[in-house]
């Protein structure tokens, strides 16, 4: 083979390798876009399921920044008489719990749950400054579209999204109305709205309970089970409320 032929062969292989790399990058980009679209849809569905809680005095903080991160977000933080619930929606299928490990199909996703548990611990530390007991902060991994699913891994409750309202309201009224206001005021800067400057948060005089996504989620019609769960949450409150 001549030098020219050898050079042409090297160039052809280089171009093929470059083309393969571009195809791989395009495939990865498509996969990321698909995951983003699924996440966006499932988070919106979770927001709709949680929306009725606002009607019985709960505050829903949606699309908040993960403390200490520039890009990661927390789907929803629920603050109310039952305590604080950090809800992270997971579009997972074939979920199985094996002791202290959790898998989706063949993939071990225990580390994802552990990060959520760490977030709950850091939130407990923040609320300890105002004297709130650690047991009033709860981390929840909500499995999109699932029902009658409940497991516990690394102190995180893994439940179906359709069980969220009942999971929250069954704890009853543990905090007074004034205590809820104090907790809410502490949670707003701890979980800032995505895009806000964490170093210069806005001054809060009267806390805004809900920062809805655009467009705001519609509230689905309430079935009998959901109505009962909401009523339980109301009836657990002191008669003065």
């Amino acid at each position: 083979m001549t030098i020219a032929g050898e050079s042409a062969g090297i160039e052809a292989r280089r171009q093929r390798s470059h083309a393969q790399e571009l195809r791989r990058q395009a495939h990865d980009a498509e996969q990321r876009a698909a995951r983003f679209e699924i996440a966006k849809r499932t988070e919106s569905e979770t927001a709709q399921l949680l929306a009725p809680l606002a009607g019985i005095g709960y505050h829903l903080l949606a699309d908040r920044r993960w403390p200490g991160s520039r890009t990661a977000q927390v789907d929803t933080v629920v603050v109310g008489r039952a305590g604080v619930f950090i809800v992270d929606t997971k579009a997972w299928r074939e979920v199985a719990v094996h002791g202290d490990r959790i898998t989706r199909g063949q993939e071990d996703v225990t580390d994802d749950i552990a990060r959520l548990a760490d977030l709950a611990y850091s939130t407990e530390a923040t609320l300890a400054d105002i004297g709130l007991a650690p047991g009033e902060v709860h981390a929840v991994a909500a499995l999109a579209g699932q029902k009658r699913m409940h497991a516990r891994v690394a102190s995180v409750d893994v439940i179906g999204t359709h069980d969220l309202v009942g999971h929250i309201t069954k704890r009853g009224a543990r905090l007074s109305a004034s205590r809820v206001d104090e907790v809410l005021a502490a949670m707003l800067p701890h979980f800032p709205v995505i895009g806000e400057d964490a170093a210069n948060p806005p001054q809060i005089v009267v806390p805004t309970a809900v920062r809805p996504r655009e467009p705001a989620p519609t509230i689905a019609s309430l079935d009998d089970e959901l109505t009962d769960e909401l009523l339980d949450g109301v009836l657990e409150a002191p008669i003065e409320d």
Side-chain angles (χ1 to χ4, degrees):
M1 179 181 293
T2 65
I3 295 176
E6 183 177 351
S7 298
I10 293 173
E11 177 62 19
R13 288 194 295 273
R14 188 191 69 78
Q15 290 182 359
R16 284 196 299 271
S17 176
H18 182 61
Q20 290 172 351
E21 176 62 18
L22 289 177
R23 285 194 292 271
R24 185 191 65 78
Q25 291 178 7
H27 175 72
D28 290 347
E30 290 174 358
Q31 293 293 98
R32 288 195 299 271
R35 288 195 295 270
F36 177 80
E37 183 59 33
I38 291 172
K40 183 177 180 181
R41 184 173 65 251
T42 56
E43 290 164 16
S44 178
E45 292 169 354
T46 300
Q48 292 182 34
L49 290 168
L50 290 171
L53 288 171
I56 60 170
Y58 283 81
H59 307 280
L60 311 180
L61 310 180
D63 292 334
R64 298 283 162 154
R65 190 165 69 239
W66 194 290
S69 172
R70 290 183 175 275
T71 57
Q73 75 176 62
V74 178
D75 295 342
T76 309
V77 180
V78 181
V79 181
R81 300 296 293 267
V84 176
F85 295 81
I86 303 169
V87 180
D88 192 31
T89 305
K90 302 292 188 184
W92 291 350
R93 294 291 181 268
E94 300 180 18
V95 175
V97 176
H98 315 274
D100 60 350
R101 312 296 297 180
I102 182 170
T103 58
R104 53 177 300 195
Q106 299 300 313
E107 180 185 2
D108 190 311
V109 290
T110 309
D111 287 346
D112 288 324
I113 299 299
R115 282 192 290 271
L116 189 56
D118 290 341
L119 177 58
Y121 295 143
S122 69
T123 302
E124 288 177 349
T126 295
L127 291 173
D129 292 340
I130 63 170
L132 189 73
E136 306 304 339
V137 177
H138 313 275
V140 180
L143 303 182
Q146 298 196 37
K147 191 173 186 178
R148 303 285 187 250
M149 162 69 183
H150 191 182
R152 193 167 174 84
V153 178
S155 77
V156 175
D157 289 297
V158 182
I159 66 177
T161 52
H162 292 281
D163 303 319
L164 276 172
V165 169
H167 177 73
I168 292 171
T169 58
K170 73 180 182 181
R171 290 185 54 81
R174 301 179 61 85
L175 307 180
S176 66
S178 60
R179 195 65 164 143
V180 170
D181 289 341
E182 292 176 357
V183 172
L184 179 61
M187 290 295 89
L188 287 170
H190 186 64
F191 292 103
V193 174
I194 293 176
E196 283 185 353
D197 184 357
N200 298 288
Q203 295 299 313
I204 300 168
V205 178
V206 178
T208 300
V210 181
R211 195 67 175 263
R213 67 177 69 242
E214 295 293 340
T218 57
I219 299 177
S221 58
L222 306 183
D223 58 27
D224 291 341
E225 182 178 359
L226 180 54
T227 300
D228 289 342
E229 291 170 347
L230 292 170
L231 282 174
D232 288 342
V234 172
L235 294 176
E236 284 288 347
I239 190 64
E240 291 82 359
D241 292 344

